[in-house]
Amino acid sequence: VKSEGPKLVPFFKATCVYFVLWLPTSSPSWFSALIKCLPIFCLWVFLLAHGINFLVSHRSASRILAGLIFSAVGDAFLIWQEQGYFIHGLLMFGITHILYSSAFGMKPLDLKAGFLMGLVCSSCYAFLYSYLSGPFTYLVAVYIALIGFMGWRAVAGVQLCNDLWTWTKLSACIGAMLFMVSDLTIALNEFCFPVPYSRFIIMATYYAAQMLIALSAVESRDEEDSRKRS
């Protein structure tokens, strides 16, 4: 908390600015896009504050930074979703999930967690299917598969039972789950029925998810520092 907390202050301030201004989605503008993306920009700065050498030498951190960049582009597209840019935003976030999955890695495999995540994602798609039409029938299926895979890799890394977990792996796990809650709320609100307080739920869980995933990138730095002290 002492080492990473101060670096996150700009993120918390930018998030507060977003919720205080609460710009209407009915009048998209570059200013509203900037305010919405500002917390994600601050997470770029958070990772860059650890040094370019750190990002270059640790692939997981650089991939999470790349994921945050694609997320910001996706956020901007979704500001103009009523003008036909929803699919563009979906594509950007799909790439984000691929990058996050790559950052979390494939070890340990944990097939049990993968099976459970597949079951959850299949159930969600089965519920959404009757509400989907046109290209969204398969686009949503692909997107759910990508975010489900990302969630599996984040959950698999925790290993609570083996006492091998770290706070950063737990952070990635919680962040991935919150990302899934945010996107499921978007899907329900967009394709099925109006969700009460949907915008607040979507953005609160989204910003929290991105912050926690960004925090997970500093794990390799913690391990490096501990080796130096030993």
Side-chain angles (χ1 to χ4, degrees), residues 104 147 150-151 154-155 171-181 209 213:
F104 298 150
I147 195 171
M150 185 272 291
V155 171
S171 175
C173 177
I174 297 172
M177 295 303 99
L178 288 174
F179 217 134
M180 294 179 74
V181 170
I213 291 173

Side-chain angles (χ1 to χ4, degrees), residues 2-30:
K2 288 182 179 179
S3 61
E4 303 302 332
K7 299 186 187 78
L8 284 170
V9 170
F11 166 79
F12 288 119
K13 289 183 176 180
T15 303
C16 289
V17 167
Y18 173 82
F19 283 109
V20 168
L21 292 180
W22 202 250
L23 299 170
T25 54
S26 57
S27 55
S29 66
W30 285 108

Side-chain angles (χ1 to χ4, degrees), residues 44 66 94:
W44 297 3

Side-chain angles (χ1 to χ4, degrees), residues 4-5 7 24 32 64 69 72 83 99-100 111 128 130 134 137 147 151 177 185 193 201 212:
E4 303 302 332
K7 299 186 187 78
S32 59
I64 288 175
I69 292 172
Q83 284 72 35
L99 288 165
Y100 286 169
L111 293 177
L128 292 169
S130 60
T137 304
I147 195 171
M177 295 303 99
T185 307
F193 48 79
I201 296 170
L212 290 168

Side-chain angles (χ1 to χ4, degrees), residues 93-185:
F93 279 107
I95 296 172
T96 295
H97 297 317
I98 293 172
L99 288 165
Y100 286 169
S101 300
S102 178
F104 298 150
M106 290 300 297
K107 294 180 180 180
L109 193 60
D110 198 348
L111 293 177
K112 186 182 294 185
F115 174 77
L116 290 175
M117 190 62 66
L119 190 61
V120 170
C121 290
S122 298
S123 300
C124 290
Y125 182 70
F127 177 81
L128 292 169
Y129 181 78
S130 60
Y131 294 94
L132 302 173
S133 61
F136 287 111
T137 304
Y138 58 86
L139 286 175
V140 171
V142 172
Y143 186 84
I144 288 177
L146 290 176
I147 195 171
F149 186 81
M150 185 272 291
W152 168 35
R153 298 321 310 148
V155 171
V158 178
Q159 298 188 80
L160 288 172
C161 297
N162 298 331
D163 200 28
L164 296 175
W165 65 278
T166 62
W167 71 268
T168 46
K169 289 179 179 178
L170 186 61
S171 175
C173 177
I174 297 172
M177 295 303 99
L178 288 174
F179 217 134
M180 294 179 74
V181 170
S182 179
D183 282 355
L184 178 59
T185 307

Side-chain angles (χ1 to χ4, degrees), residues 42-54:
C42 292
L43 291 177
W44 297 3
V45 176
F46 167 75
L47 289 179
L48 290 170
H50 290 84
I52 298 297
N53 290 335
F54 168 71

Side-chain angles (χ1 to χ4, degrees), residues 185 189 193-201:
T185 307
N189 195 64
F193 48 79
V195 177
Y197 307 106
S198 60
R199 190 174 167 207
F200 176 80
I201 296 170

